[in-house]
Amino acid sequence: MQLWFFRFLVNAAGYASFMVPGYLMVQYFRRKNYLETGRGLCFPLVKTCVFGNEPKASDEVPLASRTEPAETTPTWQALKLLFCAAGLQVSYLTWGVLQERVMTRSYGATATSPGERFTDSQFLVLMNRVLALIVAGLYCILCKQPRHGAPMYRYSFASLSNVLSSWCQYEALKFVSFPTQVLAKASKVIPVMLMGRLVSRRSYEHWEYLTAGLISIGVSMFLLSSGPEPRSSPATMLSGLILLAGYIAFDSFTSNWQDALFACKMSSVQMMFGVNLFSCLFTMGSLLEQGALLEGTRFMGRHSEFAAHALLLSVCSACGQLFIFYTIGQFGAAMFTIIMTLRQAFAILLSCLLYGHTITVVGGLGVAVVFAALLLRVYARGRLKQRVKKAVPVESPVQKV
């Protein structure tokens, strides 16, 4: 347990060594009112990073392809939905299988040698972010985007939490099984509701408490009844659960910070580019400080199979993000949630088939309870939105002459 915690502290210190001086510099420029007094070649860069750009009336462009689509036939809509569902399933099922393969299996094993395992999760995070940055950059160049107005430094906070959540996610697979990890992600709604109740004083409907309770019951049934993994012990299980808790906490902060950033009128792909830009800077700098970048590159050179897996893993992650934006833009968040909930169920099944995880009957029933509760949440939320729309009083139409 101490080893992964030490690695976490080292990585966090590496990110802080870049973020803290940058943040202090931002505050310095703000106090000096550099926006009004600054001049020279560096002024545009400082203005963009620290202050952002003022929106112009001529730059008002729809943020995403959320405009009402033209009249299409039901067959065409069904084909588009099938395309989105297939793209999400293929991207993230492949990503899940490769993630477990890279973090839990050896490379270069022979009859006389057990091979070696890849252990540096941060190197994988860097590869994922570099490819996502390239994909987002090309998309921004090829497709017209709204004028970017947010100060660039504000992406760094979401980037930091995003990198740490990804690191926790990869590291957790060293201690817990992939099905356990998937169920932990599915139960993220519970801490979100708790934080909303304690911090924001939010109130929730009865069905939200019911589904949260069902999710907790299902996860408990799975964890308490499933057979132990060959490499598991109480200590390793505790380490895995702590890492999963870290993943959920950092991921929740990332999504909330991004929601606040969207108030600056940007597109989802611009958000993807900004977050991944700082993520690349953080992980690259930390790897260079630790001397781990060269070791990860050497591992890729020794094992071409790992290089192929890491590249395909990054491609699936980047393409999956684009499919997320397109699916939500075309069919809404509810349909996207249903597709991803089914994807999580398929991921558990696929992992058990490929890597031999054992799930008891009670554990399987717990999995079914979790996903039934998630689908119930989607259904109840959809009905609630329909009820609200019907309850809104419609003003009497005014005769226009």
Side-chain angles (χ1 to χ4, degrees):
M1 180 174 177
Q2 291 86 352
L3 183 59
W4 69 260
F5 186 68
F6 175 75
R7 287 198 300 266
F8 174 82
L9 291 179
V10 170
N11 292 339
Y15 304 145
S17 66
F18 292 94
M19 188 170 181
V20 173
Y23 182 74
L24 293 177
M25 189 176 296
V26 166
Q27 297 305 315
Y28 171 79
F29 283 124
R30 285 183 171 275
R31 284 199 305 269
K32 293 296 183 179
N33 200 15
Y34 189 77
L35 183 61
E36 295 184 2
T37 62
R39 296 292 182 271
L41 294 176
C42 295
F43 176 71
L45 178 62
V46 174
K47 180 176 180 294
T48 301
C49 294
V50 178
F51 300 98
N53 297 308
E54 292 294 331
K56 296 180 180 179
S58 58
D59 292 321
E60 292 297 326
V61 179
L63 296 183
S65 55
R66 277 212 154 216
T67 54
E68 291 297 324
E71 290 295 329
T72 56
T73 62
T75 303
W76 178 244
Q77 284 293 96
L79 289 175
K80 284 203 298 184
L81 179 59
L82 182 63
F83 170 74
C84 292
L88 287 169
Q89 298 291 349
V90 171
S91 297
Y92 282 106
L93 287 177
T94 306
W95 176 79
V97 169
L98 289 174
Q99 182 188 31
E100 187 170 8
R101 168 67 180 88
V102 168
M103 298 306 301
T104 64
R105 299 295 187 270
S106 299
Y107 287 94
T110 61
T112 58
S113 172
E116 58 179 333
R117 287 190 178 184
F118 182 76
T119 58
D120 194 349
S121 302
Q122 192 175 200
F123 186 81
L124 280 180
V125 175
L126 174 63
M127 289 196 64
N128 290 348
R129 299 304 178 265
V130 167
L131 195 64
L133 177 68
I134 294 173
V135 171
L138 291 175
Y139 191 97
C140 289
I141 292 173
L142 297 176
C143 302
K144 188 175 182 180
Q145 301 293 316
R147 179 181 175 85
H148 186 271
M152 289 295 294
Y153 82 92
R154 295 187 64 185
Y155 289 109
S156 62
F157 299 98
S159 297
L160 179 62
S161 59
N162 179 258
V163 168
L164 289 174
S165 69
S166 298
W167 184 87
C168 290
Q169 182 182 20
Y170 282 120
E171 285 290 312
L173 283 176
K174 299 177 182 178
F175 305 102
V176 297
S177 67
F178 184 76
T180 302
Q181 187 189 81
V182 172
L183 281 187
K185 294 179 185 179
S187 61
K188 189 169 64 175
V189 62
I190 300 173
V192 169
M193 287 181 63
L194 289 176
M195 291 299 293
R197 184 70 176 175
L198 295 175
V199 178
S200 304
R201 305 296 181 184
R202 291 186 58 185
S203 60
Y204 296 94
E205 299 289 336
H206 295 297
W207 58 267
E208 292 181 286
Y209 288 110
L210 173 62
T211 53
L214 289 175
I215 290 172
S216 61
I217 291 173
V219 172
S220 300
M221 291 171 62
F222 176 81
L223 293 178
L224 296 176
S225 64
S226 296
E229 294 291 316
R231 53 191 168 88
S232 70
S233 68
T236 57
M237 177 63 75
L238 177 61
S239 298
L241 294 178
I242 293 174
L243 285 166
L244 287 176
Y247 160 77
I248 292 174
F250 289 124
D251 191 60
S252 299
F253 176 84
T254 302
S255 59
N256 282 283
W257 190 268
Q258 287 178 325
D259 285 342
L261 272 181
F262 273 120
C264 297
K265 307 298 183 183
M266 68 185 69
S267 69
S268 299
V269 181
Q270 286 175 327
M271 173 73 74
M272 178 180 172
F273 181 87
V275 171
N276 284 297
L277 174 63
F278 280 95
S279 297
C280 289
L281 295 176
F282 288 151
T283 51
M284 177 72 75
S286 180
L287 286 169
L288 288 174
E289 283 185 345
Q290 300 173 36
L293 182 62
L294 185 59
E295 179 57 35
T297 307
R298 287 173 177 168
F299 191 93
M300 291 183 67
R302 290 195 302 269
H303 305 289
S304 58
E305 185 183 11
F306 167 77
H309 287 168
L311 179 62
L312 185 56
L313 184 76
S314 302
V315 170
C316 291
S317 177
C319 293
Q321 290 185 57
L322 294 180
F323 272 111
I324 288 175
F325 300 147
Y326 183 75
T327 303
I328 293 177
Q330 293 291 320
F331 300 100
M335 182 58 67
F336 166 73
T337 304
I338 293 174
I339 295 173
M340 294 304 284
T341 301
L342 294 176
R343 191 272 304 178
Q344 290 174 324
F346 293 149
I348 291 179
L349 178 61
L350 195 59
S351 178
C352 292
L353 292 176
L354 293 178
Y355 298 110
H357 299 298
T358 57
I359 297 180
T360 63
V361 175
V362 177
L365 183 60
V367 174
V369 169
V370 170
F371 290 111
L374 291 175
L375 292 175
L376 179 60
R377 285 182 67 86
V378 177
Y379 173 76
R381 188 168 296 164
R383 290 295 299 268
L384 182 62
K385 287 183 178 179
Q386 290 180 356
R387 194 181 309 159
V388 169
K389 287 181 179 179
K390 291 180 180 179
V392 173
V394 180
E395 294 182 2
S396 57
V398 179
Q399 293 282 342
K400 289 187 178 182
V401 181

